[in-house]
Amino acid sequence: MFPRLHTLDISHNKLVRLPIEIATQLPALRVFDCSRNVLESLEPGTRIASLPLPAALVRVDASYNRVEAFGDAFARCRGLESLRVAHNLLQSCEGLEHLPRLEHLD
């Protein structure tokens, strides 16, 4: 759909889940803002079938949601440098251990 799109802001909506198209149709996505929604997961897709976020991501703002765990959301995001997840329902940081370039975690 948008193979060259590098910035996406879907903040301030009432999204409960991320659309699967974020993982499948935005390979160049580098900056992603999904803050101030009611997201329960950062894995695009449904409760039954979900995928990791795009590998090109460098900066993600997922603050002010209802995320309880990361799952495999960042499994492909080896270049992620900044992750904002303040004001969620997180119980642990499990799922972030494979982010060697992460410099900012909020």
Side-chain angles (χ1 to χ4, degrees):
M1 186 185 290
F2 299 104
R4 298 181 65 195
L5 186 73
H6 63 82
T7 301
L8 178 62
D9 185 340
I10 58 172
S11 62
H12 297 274
N13 287 286
K14 294 178 182 175
L15 299 175
V16 176
R17 299 284 300 174
L18 294 174
I20 194 120
E21 290 81 9
I22 291 172
T24 61
Q25 297 182 15
L26 302 175
L29 191 63
R30 295 178 50 81
V31 179
F32 182 43
D33 186 347
C34 59
S35 63
R36 298 186 184 270
N37 282 288
V38 288
L39 296 172
E40 297 172 353
S41 172
L42 295 177
E43 296 173 288
T46 66
R47 293 181 197 271
I48 298 168
S50 59
L51 295 171
L53 290 165
L57 281 171
V58 174
R59 186 173 40 206
V60 173
D61 185 349
S63 57
Y64 295 93
N65 280 290
R66 295 182 182 165
V67 177
E68 293 183 13
F70 294 117
D72 291 329
F74 300 104
R76 299 187 302 186
C77 302
R78 302 271 185 234
L80 191 68
E81 296 174 359
S82 176
L83 177 59
R84 298 191 66 209
V85 290
H87 302 282
N88 276 284
L89 303 173
L90 292 164
Q91 303 287 322
S92 76
C93 288
E94 188 176 339
L96 301 183
E97 58 274 356
H98 302 294
L99 301 175
R101 295 191 177 185
L102 190 62
E103 296 175 357
H104 178 86
L105 177 60
D106 175 20

